[in-house]
Amino acid sequence: MTYKQIKWLILMLPTLSIGAWEYLRHTLLMPYLSMEMGNFLSPLIVFGVTVIFLVKLFKRLEQIQSELNEERSQKTALQERAKIARELHDGMAQSLFLLSIKINKLGRQANLAHNPHFIKMKQTLHHIHEDTRQAINNLRSPLVETNFNWTEALLKYISGVEKEHQLQVELNWKINEALLSTKEKVELFACIKETLINAIKHASTKQVLMAAEEQAGGWLLTIRNQTEKESLPESSQGYGLQILKDRAAAMGCSLAISIDHGEMCVSFRKGVLQDGRANPSAAGG
């Protein structure tokens, strides 16, 4: 039923109901109802029709209006995201590409191909360029909806990462997405993306192990990959790590990162710990 049809029904139902009542009253019920009883029943019938039909129609009207407002809001957000993505592509991404060409030219002219500082600078520039491209792709992607199949979207993303970066992700996912709130779905998806990107940049292998399971009052997600680092730096202030900390805190879960025998483990825990203590909401290293 369309918005216009509902409005016409709301306008016409009281008139049609009282008209039908008066017709029945004066044609079929006249011998059985007195004038006083008929007058008494008329407003009750209109009230009954209002309660039974109009209340439902008003709710449906409000629902349609809410859906229209949400659709308008999403359209506006998508337009803004597309605008930002276009500006990033035309501005920062193009500038980074030009800078990369100039640095390569400088390296050839100054014979810096084997200079460790020059190599590190090129790697850093490449990572920034990749991060910018990823940000542009994320902005061009549709917004996360509340009624979409989140697990299917996650599997599709992981499959895309495997094909693009020749990465093997062994996934053991045992969390029912109904256990996750909409906010947790958004933040957890972003955390998985950030962790996989870090693994692609810094891992010494092309294999990532990802396991997720439900626990008492919550869930646990662990992501493991081999690394050449022997330990975490004493002061970890990297931008990627700060993003993970902020998103973990937004979900009200803990973040733990460790390196043991050449394997890095990133874990997100929500709920009650095994010893019965409440899980801290702040992310910790």
Side-chain angles (χ1 to χ4, degrees):
M1 191 176 298
T2 65
Y3 187 81
K4 188 175 181 179
Q5 290 173 336
I6 292 175
K7 288 199 300 184
W8 275 109
L9 275 176
I10 290 174
L11 290 172
M12 297 301 297
L13 266 179
T15 303
L16 292 175
S17 61
I18 196 64
W21 163 249
E22 290 296 335
Y23 175 79
L24 292 173
R25 172 186 170 187
H26 289 91
T27 56
L28 300 178
L29 302 177
M30 184 63 73
Y32 310 103
L33 283 178
S34 65
M35 185 65 68
E36 290 77 9
M37 180 58 68
N39 293 337
F40 176 76
L41 290 176
S42 294
L44 293 180
I45 291 173
V46 175
F47 178 75
V49 170
T50 301
V51 172
I52 295 173
F53 295 103
L54 294 190
V55 170
K56 293 182 179 180
L57 289 175
F58 273 120
K59 286 184 179 179
R60 178 57 183 157
L61 195 65
E62 291 173 357
Q63 181 182 354
I64 292 176
Q65 186 64 43
S66 176
E67 291 172 355
L68 289 174
N69 291 336
E70 183 177 354
E71 182 179 350
R72 190 179 299 114
S73 176
Q74 289 182 354
K75 183 178 180 180
T76 302
L78 284 173
Q79 289 173 343
E80 288 298 321
R81 288 163 65 94
K83 179 181 177 182
I84 295 173
R86 187 167 56 253
E87 290 175 351
L88 279 175
H89 179 270
D90 295 342
M92 184 177 293
Q94 297 287 8
S95 298
L96 288 171
F97 180 70
L98 179 61
L99 180 60
S100 176
I101 293 176
K102 290 184 176 180
I103 286 180
N104 288 331
K105 183 177 180 180
L106 175 64
R108 289 193 299 269
Q109 292 176 347
N111 195 22
L112 298 174
H114 302 290
N115 186 294
H117 297 292
F118 180 75
I119 294 173
K120 182 66 175 177
M121 182 173 61
K122 286 182 61 177
Q123 290 175 344
T124 301
L125 180 60
H126 176 72
H127 291 160
I128 295 173
H129 194 193
E130 288 296 317
D131 289 343
T132 304
R133 287 179 54 194
Q134 183 64 43
I136 293 172
N137 290 333
N138 291 341
L139 286 169
R140 287 173 175 171
S141 301
L143 294 172
V144 177
E145 300 175 359
T146 58
N147 58 348
F148 80 130
N149 191 320
W150 185 84
T151 306
E152 182 179 336
L154 176 63
L155 295 175
K156 184 177 180 181
Y157 170 76
I158 291 175
S159 176
V161 170
E162 289 180 319
K163 292 179 181 178
E164 183 177 354
H165 299 281
Q166 291 75 50
L167 184 71
Q168 180 184 359
V169 180
E170 294 189 13
L171 182 64
N172 184 18
W173 194 272
K174 296 182 179 179
I175 298 179
N176 189 334
E177 67 177 79
L179 184 66
L180 303 172
S181 66
T182 301
K183 182 177 181 62
E184 288 174 343
K185 290 177 182 179
V186 174
E187 299 292 353
L188 192 59
F189 205 138
C191 287
I192 292 173
K193 285 183 178 181
E194 181 66 28
T195 305
L196 288 179
I197 289 172
N198 289 337
I200 292 168
K201 291 180 180 178
H202 307 298
S204 56
T205 68
K206 288 292 185 177
Q207 186 179 42
V208 175
L209 307 178
M210 187 182 305
E213 60 180 355
E214 298 181 13
Q215 294 188 338
W219 45 265
L220 172 66
L221 167 64
T222 58
I223 304 175
R224 304 174 183 272
N225 62 267
Q226 296 297 316
T227 180
E228 295 177 352
K229 296 180 180 179
E230 297 182 358
S231 62
L232 292 172
E234 294 183 3
S235 177
S236 300
Q237 301 297 332
Y239 184 65
L241 178 59
Q242 188 59 48
I243 290 177
L244 293 180
K245 287 182 177 181
D246 293 343
R247 292 192 178 278
M251 288 187 289
C253 73
S254 63
L255 167 65
I257 303 177
S258 62
I259 296 178
D260 186 22
H261 296 92
E263 182 183 70
M264 174 172 284
C265 177
V266 181
S267 65
F268 302 87
R269 186 189 299 271
K270 178 71 179 288
V272 180
L273 301 179
Q274 293 181 349
D275 60 3
R277 293 181 290 112
N279 196 33
S281 58

